[in-house]
């Protein structure tokens, strides 16, 4: 048996120790060089990078990690602490990394509009490539190809379907689920928001109709319905990307999760094949038909940008995930905010009632009149943006202008090639340079023609702005307007919280955690019948 004598052991330990010390010294030197390269601009100096798994698990520990949910919970506070609307974060592990975090509307406009100079940091978005590369996880010519096919699928004809299907689903909810109940309580508003937005997306997006009383049965050859598989995938997407498959196979719940991913993939493939082989798609204006028609038309024209099957499935998957989770969370936050701010709720009620005096539900052509409903949605997204940061990288040595939050002094900040750029959406949305009393829920700010559009990136900005924005607005305005016309919204009364102050209630109800998107912790809500 091989063994080392005392001298050999000492030699191995000495060499190992020297190697470790040299490694640490090199890391420290690179760390210091990184700070010098951006002019020692203020910001976090931590061991772990803010996007690391360790930072997602640990609480904030100064010098170690910014902590879980730090991309949202600090909103503009960190920028005030460091004194600038851009702060420079340098981390040591797993390798020295410089990240400039932006809350400046001017800098963000520069970064989002000049795609060649500031491309996406694609490693961050690799989690979204489960079924294939797509419009979100691509850049350059590949992104242009995806955008050319995906964007035309979102049309006003489709938005008309969104409106009609939403009202049909709400009618089913009111008539067959809530019925004549004077009040309906949910321990968590997500319990209502998730199925609502899922049913709308299934019908208007993919021609898969379902509602609260008829959620369907699994299609032939499937063990789950389309809606059931999508909901499970939504809930487990981030962990599925982080954990190896063998861990999921250890439990019944884990195996069911794996099955859901397989089922959803098979549903997507079958839907594509069904549309491709249909004798006619005339009169069909759902997203899937629009996507496939645009792809086939591109193929006929010989433009060379037709999506292959992997790219088609990848884009359908991203529409499903983005269109469901973000819409559901925004809806849930809206219910909570209106419950906490009854005066704002009453303003919305009177606005909606003026447009529906006899209770008659409006048509899609009337949607532009519901300006306050849309303002409530925008203000909710300002306060609780579904996506809290956009990750990019500098493709060349360049610079950005940062402004001192106290004095207004401007500083030209050097940006070396390879520097990571993190657009802080909460930082921008809570920046008092653009928003008066940014911590307050004030939908009126979006009713002014002069509201600061450059400081709102809830649907992202520049050429990469969300193509599904109108789909989301249509669905949300319809749901919110018909609910508020018939029901008032309240925070669920619970005896253990009977003596809490408003600020305590607000903190409890609006608590969040960061998953794939910003997620409500728990929103206990009661709907009370108005008439």
């Amino acid at each position: 048996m091989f063994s080392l004598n005392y001298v050999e052991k000492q030699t191995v330990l000495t060499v190992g120790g020297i190697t470790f010390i040299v490694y640490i010294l090199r890391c420290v030197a690179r760390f210091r060089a990184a700070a010098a390269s951006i002019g020692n601009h203020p910001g976090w100096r931590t061991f772990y990078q803010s996007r690391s798994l360790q930072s997602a698990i640990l609480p904030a520990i100064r010098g170690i990690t910014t902590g879980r949910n730090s991309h949202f919970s600090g909103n503009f506070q960190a920028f005030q602490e460091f004194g600038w609307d851009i702060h420079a974060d340098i981390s040591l592990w797993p390798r020295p990394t410089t990240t400039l975090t932006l809350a400046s509307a001017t800098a963000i406009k520069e970064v989002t509009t000049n795609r060649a100079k500031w491309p996406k940091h694609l490693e961050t978005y690799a989690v979204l490539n489960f079924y294939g590369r797509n419009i979100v996880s691509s850049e350059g010519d590949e992104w242009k190809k995806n955008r050319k096919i995906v964007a035309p699928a979102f049309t006003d004809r489709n938005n008309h379907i969104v409106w009609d299907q939403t009202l049909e689903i709400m009618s089913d909810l009111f008539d067959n689920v809530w019925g004549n109940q004077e009040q309906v309580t949910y321990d968590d508003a997500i319990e209502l928001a998730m199925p609502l937005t899922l049913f709308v997306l299934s019908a208007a997006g993919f021609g898969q109709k379902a509602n609260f009383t008829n959620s369907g049965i699994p299609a032939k050859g499937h063990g789950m319905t389309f809606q059931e598989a999508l909901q499970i995938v939504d809930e487990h997407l981030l962990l599925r990307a982080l954990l190896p498959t063998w861990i999921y196979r250890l439990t019944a719940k884990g195996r069911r999760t794996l099955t859901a991913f397989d089922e959803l993939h098979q549903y997507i493939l079958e839907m594509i094949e069904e549309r491709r082989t249909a004798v006619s798609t005339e009169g069909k204006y759902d997203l899937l038909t629009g996507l496939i028609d645009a792809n086939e038309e591109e193929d006929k024209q010989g433009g060379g940008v037709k999506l292959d099957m992997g790219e088609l499935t990848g884009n359908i998957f991203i529409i499903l995930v983005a269109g469901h989770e973000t819409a559901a969370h925004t809806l849930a936050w809206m219910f909570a905010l209106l419950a906490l701010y009854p005066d704002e709720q009453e303003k919305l009620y009177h606005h909606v009632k003026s447009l529906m005096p006899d209770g008659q539900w409006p048509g899609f052509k009337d949607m532009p009149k519901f300006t306050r409903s849309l303002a409530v949605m925008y203000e909710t997204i300002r306060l609780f943006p579904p996506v809290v940061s956009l990750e990019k990288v500098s493709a060349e040595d360049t610079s950005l202008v940062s402004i001192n939050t106290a004095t207004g002094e401007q500083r030209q900040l050097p940006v070396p090639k390879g520097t990571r750029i993190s657009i802080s959406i909460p930082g921008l949305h809570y920046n008092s340079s653009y928003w008066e009393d940014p911590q307050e829920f004030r939908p009126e700010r979006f009713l002014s023609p002069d509201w600061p559009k450059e400081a709102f990136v809830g649907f992202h900005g520049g050429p990469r702005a969300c193509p599904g924005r109108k789909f989301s607005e249509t669905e949300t305005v319809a749901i919110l307007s018909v609910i508020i016309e018939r029901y008032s919204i309240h925070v669920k009364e619970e005896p253990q919280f009977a003596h809490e102050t408003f600020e305590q209630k607000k903190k409890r109800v609006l608590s969040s955690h960061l998953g794939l998107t910003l997620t409500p912790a728990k929103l206990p809500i009661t709907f009370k019948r108005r008439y």
Side-chain angles (χ1 to χ4, degrees):
M1 182 176 176
F2 177 76
S3 62
L4 298 175
N5 61 37
Y6 175 78
V7 174
E8 290 171 330
K9 288 179 181 178
Q10 289 299 309
T11 302
V12 169
L13 289 173
T14 301
V15 172
I18 292 173
T19 302
F20 179 72
I21 291 171
V22 169
Y23 171 75
I24 293 298
L25 290 174
R26 288 182 64 185
C27 283
V28 170
R30 291 173 64 188
F31 188 91
R32 292 168 65 95
S37 72
I38 42 89
N40 291 300
H41 193 72
W44 299 111
R45 305 293 187 262
T46 57
F47 184 79
Y48 292 117
Q49 208 268 335
S50 64
R51 281 287 178 183
S52 67
L53 178 60
Q54 293 86 350
S55 293
I57 297 172
L58 295 171
I61 306 171
R62 186 169 287 272
I64 303 298
T65 174
T66 54
R68 54 181 174 263
N69 204 19
S70 63
H71 291 271
F72 173 73
S73 58
N75 49 69
F76 194 63
Q77 294 170 10
F79 297 92
Q80 292 175 313
E81 178 180 341
F82 295 122
W84 298 87
D85 60 6
I86 298 176
H87 59 74
D89 309 328
I90 304 174
S91 56
L92 185 62
W93 186 266
R95 59 186 177 275
T97 302
T98 303
T99 303
L100 297 183
T101 305
L102 280 52
S104 160
T106 303
I108 289 171
K109 184 177 181 180
E110 153 68 17
V111 168
T112 55
T113 54
N114 195 334
R115 292 189 356 262
K117 192 174 178 180
W118 311 94
K120 226 173 191 184
H121 186 262
L122 295 180
E123 291 178 20
T124 304
Y125 300 91
V127 63
L128 301 175
N129 287 331
F130 262 106
Y131 300 143
R133 295 182 64 79
N134 52 74
I135 191 172
V136 175
S137 64
S138 58
E139 189 52 277
D141 290 341
E142 184 185 10
W143 172 79
K144 290 179 183 178
K145 177 174 77 168
N146 281 283
R147 176 83 180 188
K148 188 173 184 180
I149 302 300
V150 173
F154 292 90
T155 65
D156 242 19
R157 282 179 169 178
N158 178 249
N159 293 328
H160 200 302
I161 296 174
V162 174
W163 185 273
D164 291 345
Q165 289 298 321
T166 301
L167 295 186
E168 186 176 312
I169 290 162
M170 294 306 297
S171 179
D172 175 62
L173 173 68
F174 290 162
D175 295 344
N176 301 315
V177 181
W178 291 4
N180 295 320
Q181 297 178 77
E182 290 297 316
Q183 66 178 47
V184 181
T185 296
Y186 292 88
D187 290 331
D188 191 343
I190 285 294
E191 297 170 10
L192 171 64
M194 277 291 193
L196 262 182
T197 54
L198 176 59
F199 296 152
V200 174
L201 180 62
S202 297
F206 301 93
Q208 302 280 325
K209 282 199 173 187
N211 53 42
F212 288 94
T213 53
N214 177 28
S215 57
I217 58 174
K220 184 178 180 181
H222 288 271
M224 295 179 181
T225 65
F226 171 76
Q227 290 79 13
E228 185 181 11
L230 176 58
Q231 184 132 358
I232 294 173
V233 168
D234 259 356
E235 292 170 358
H236 295 275
L237 179 59
L238 191 58
L239 277 179
R240 179 70 185 91
L242 295 174
L243 299 178
T245 299
W246 65 265
I247 289 182
Y248 280 90
R249 290 186 178 134
L250 297 177
T251 65
K253 184 177 181 181
R255 291 190 292 273
R256 182 170 174 77
T257 299
L258 293 178
T259 299
F261 274 84
D262 292 340
E263 289 269 342
L264 183 61
H265 191 202
Q266 191 59 37
Y267 269 118
I268 292 173
L269 292 174
E270 289 170 358
M271 288 190 296
I272 292 172
E273 184 61 22
E274 179 187 345
R275 290 296 196 284
R276 278 179 164 173
T277 58
V279 176
S280 173
T281 58
E282 187 176 352
K284 285 184 175 289
Y285 303 115
D286 58 69
L287 292 180
L288 178 61
T289 301
L291 186 64
I292 292 175
D293 285 352
N295 202 41
E296 296 299 322
E297 184 61 29
E298 190 63 34
D299 188 40
K300 290 176 184 177
Q301 294 178 2
V305 296
K306 181 183 179 182
L307 303 181
D308 61 29
M309 182 59 78
E311 291 166 327
L312 260 181
T313 56
N315 279 294
I316 291 170
F317 173 68
I318 210 67
I319 291 170
L320 285 167
V321 172
H324 181 214
E325 184 170 297
T326 57
H329 290 170
T330 296
L331 193 61
W333 290 121
M334 277 196 297
F335 292 152
L337 286 166
L338 289 169
L340 287 166
Y341 293 86
D343 290 346
E344 292 297 339
Q345 184 178 165
E346 282 306 294
K347 291 176 187 176
L348 176 62
Y349 168 69
H350 289 299
H351 170 72
V352 169
K353 199 64 182 173
S354 71
L355 298 170
M356 302 162 56
D358 55 359
Q360 181 82 24
W361 286 5
F364 177 61
K365 69 180 187 305
D366 300 309
M367 181 188 160
K369 300 175 184 176
F370 288 81
T371 52
R372 186 171 283 273
S373 297
L374 189 61
V376 168
M377 179 187 181
Y378 282 6
E379 178 70 342
T380 301
I381 291 173
R382 185 187 70 80
L383 292 169
F384 296 96
V387 177
V388 297
S389 67
L390 303 174
E391 304 300 313
K392 290 180 172 285
V393 65
S394 173
E396 59 186 63
D397 292 335
T398 184
S399 63
L400 289 170
V401 174
S402 183
I403 299 175
N404 188 286
T405 57
T407 67
E409 173 196 350
Q410 293 190 6
R411 174 185 291 182
Q412 198 78 20
L413 183 61
V415 184
K417 180 180 179 179
T419 301
R420 289 191 58 172
I421 304 296
S422 182
I423 295 172
S424 172
I425 297 179
L428 179 65
H429 285 184
Y430 284 80
N431 189 335
S432 56
S433 297
Y434 311 112
W435 306 99
E436 184 179 353
D437 298 324
Q439 301 287 342
E440 293 300 313
F441 176 63
R442 293 184 181 173
E444 278 92 352
R445 64 177 95 238
F446 287 97
L447 295 175
S448 166
D450 300 322
W451 66 270
K453 296 176 179 61
E454 76 284 356
F456 181 72
V457 290
F459 296 94
H460 306 175
R464 298 198 73 130
C466 174
R469 176 174 184 165
K470 189 63 181 292
F471 185 111
S472 177
E473 291 175 352
T474 302
E475 167 189 28
T476 304
V477 167
I479 292 173
L480 181 61
S481 298
V482 298
I483 282 184
I484 211 72
E485 189 271 338
R486 192 174 297 196
Y487 294 87
S488 59
I489 310 173
H490 308 265
V491 176
K492 177 187 174 184
E493 294 181 5
E494 299 176 79
Q496 67 269 37
F497 301 121
H499 302 293
E500 67 183 350
T501 66
F502 173 75
E503 290 301 323
Q504 289 171 331
K505 179 187 289 188
K506 181 179 173 182
K507 182 177 180 180
R508 170 175 63 89
V509 172
L510 298 180
S511 61
S512 66
H513 62 86
L514 192 58
L516 188 65
T517 60
L518 185 66
T519 304
K522 186 180 181 183
L523 305 177
I525 296 296
T526 295
F527 298 88
K528 294 183 180 181
R529 188 73 181 251
R530 292 185 186 271
Y531 57 86

